[in-house]
Amino acid sequence: MTTLSAPAAVPGTTARPSPVPGLLRTLLRLHRPALYGWAAFVVALSGVLLWLRGPLTTASAAGWKQYDACGWTPRCTYDQDAILLYKNVYTYGTWAVLAVPLVAAAWAGAALIGREMELGTAQLAWTQGVSPGRWLAAKLVLPAVAIGVGTGLLVTLHHLAWSAGRSRIDTAKSWDETWTFQAGGPITVALALCGLAVGVLVGLLWRRSLAALGAAAVGTVAVWYGISRALPHLWPTVTRVVPLGGDGPAYDGMVVETGVVTASGAHRPIPDCISPNGSVCDKAYEAINATGYYTEYHPKSQYWGLQLASAGVLLALTAVLVAVGFWMLRRRTGATAAQ
């Protein structure tokens, strides 16, 4: 493994003031374009989400009210443009919020860490009285604050925009729809911070901006996929049982598992039975002694529990990635990176 040189302490030298304030000012100047771009993005998207919550929701709700009043009346007019505009702005606004973790990871890997390691400016900073550990800490703190505050504002506004149309717009997304759930709560804030940590770690590992950009984005997608798969299992489920017949399993929320209940209380998969002859399916159910359907799901009352549990897992992973980054920097420089 390549070892990077870090400044060695000189015995008998006079202690100098901490260089950290100067380092923070330097970082602000160096990444000023990214800071301005991030601020502009947050302000613009906040305006769009406020527009969505107010005038667009009102106009779309009025359009749906007109549509519902039409019934079977031929050539009934309603404001279709308002309905479609709300739908499009909601969709694109949701995607914009969810893109933040990927952008944060790619920027951290390429511009925040990878480029400085590639050009040697990080090593130069270490010769100016800044230890590798303090350099990395400064690199993490300022972006983490900016990303956390900005993303927190965006998910709050998205949740408010969704809530405004929930009972007024016929096609409003349900609370457990994947993108709506993730864009409207702390899970996306935690994922953005985790993306920052992934980018920093990848930048330290690859030390090339372009390679770190792609690897950080891919790594964040992998984390995103993992937490999405684990999310339904991070909070206790509610089980609902209904008799056989009717429309099958009944639920109102985020489904984890469905099947049939036997006379002994055991849970079994639903028989794979598609036949025009009802007696064939009846025999399939009788063969396993099924008495009803069961559904394990999360009702809406568990919304914040799922959000906070998922965010907690992501923040714990973020802490681990940051610790690995400091360990890696210490090992490569041969210096006490935590100083």
Side-chain angles (χ1 to χ4, degrees):
M1 179 178 294
T2 304
T3 301
L4 305 177
S5 60
V10 179
T13 55
T14 304
R16 293 181 294 177
S18 172
V20 172
L23 176 60
L24 295 179
R25 288 192 296 270
T26 301
L27 291 176
L28 285 174
R29 289 195 300 268
L30 180 62
H31 298 290
R32 187 179 300 169
L35 180 61
Y36 288 165
W38 171 242
F41 173 80
V42 171
V43 170
L45 186 53
S46 296
V48 170
L49 293 173
L50 288 171
W51 180 41
L52 179 67
R53 179 175 184 261
L56 287 189
T57 297
T58 300
S60 181
W64 276 111
K65 188 175 181 179
Q66 296 167 357
Y67 178 84
D68 294 336
C70 287
W72 295 100
T73 304
R75 297 185 180 181
C76 181
T77 59
Y78 63 96
D79 195 349
Q80 185 180 32
D81 291 339
I83 293 174
L84 294 177
L85 181 59
Y86 172 90
K87 177 182 177 181
N88 291 333
V89 173
Y90 182 88
T91 299
Y92 296 133
T94 300
W95 289 353
V97 173
L98 294 175
V100 169
L102 299 180
V103 175
W107 173 77
L112 185 65
I113 300 294
R115 183 175 61 185
E116 293 206 29
M117 299 294 288
E118 183 177 19
L119 298 179
T121 52
Q123 293 86 333
L124 178 62
W126 302 340
T127 66
Q128 305 301 314
V130 178
S131 70
R134 287 178 177 175
W135 172 84
L136 182 57
K139 284 286 189 178
L140 282 167
V141 170
L142 292 179
V145 171
I147 291 172
V149 172
T151 310
L153 174 62
L154 293 178
V155 299
T156 299
L157 292 177
H158 185 280
H159 185 80
L160 292 174
W162 168 79
S163 299
R166 179 177 50 184
S167 58
R168 301 167 61 191
I169 296 175
D170 291 10
T171 55
K173 299 295 185 180
S174 62
W175 71 270
D176 58 314
E177 193 268 332
T178 300
W179 308 130
T180 294
F181 179 86
Q182 295 191 2
I187 182 174
T188 295
V189 181
L191 184 61
L193 294 175
C194 190
L196 173 67
V198 170
V200 168
L201 183 59
V202 168
L204 292 172
L205 180 64
W206 286 95
R207 289 178 286 166
R208 295 193 305 276
S209 57
L210 186 59
L213 184 150
V218 171
T220 303
V221 169
V223 172
W224 197 346
Y225 175 79
I227 194 64
S228 297
R229 296 287 294 178
L231 189 150
H233 307 285
L234 298 177
W235 200 258
T237 59
V238 172
T239 301
R240 183 176 182 181
V241 179
V242 296
L244 292 177
D247 297 327
Y251 63 91
D252 182 19
M254 184 183 296
V255 178
V256 178
E257 184 177 291
T258 60
V260 294
V261 181
T262 66
S264 64
H267 290 179
R268 300 283 297 274
I270 296 177
D272 186 11
C273 176
I274 302 176
S275 172
N277 186 352
S279 62
V280 175
C281 289
D282 291 342
K283 290 179 180 179
Y285 281 86
E286 290 174 2
I288 59 175
N289 203 16
T291 60
Y293 296 105
Y294 78 91
T295 304
E296 293 184 4
Y297 70 103
H298 297 286
K300 189 177 182 301
S301 60
Q302 296 183 349
Y303 177 88
W304 289 111
L306 289 167
Q307 283 278 357
L308 295 175
S310 303
V313 171
L314 287 170
L315 291 177
L317 177 60
T318 301
V320 171
L321 293 174
V322 170
V324 172
F326 276 99
W327 171 83
M328 181 184 298
L329 186 61
R330 176 181 178 180
R331 185 176 180 184
R332 285 190 167 182
T333 59
T336 305
Q339 289 179 348

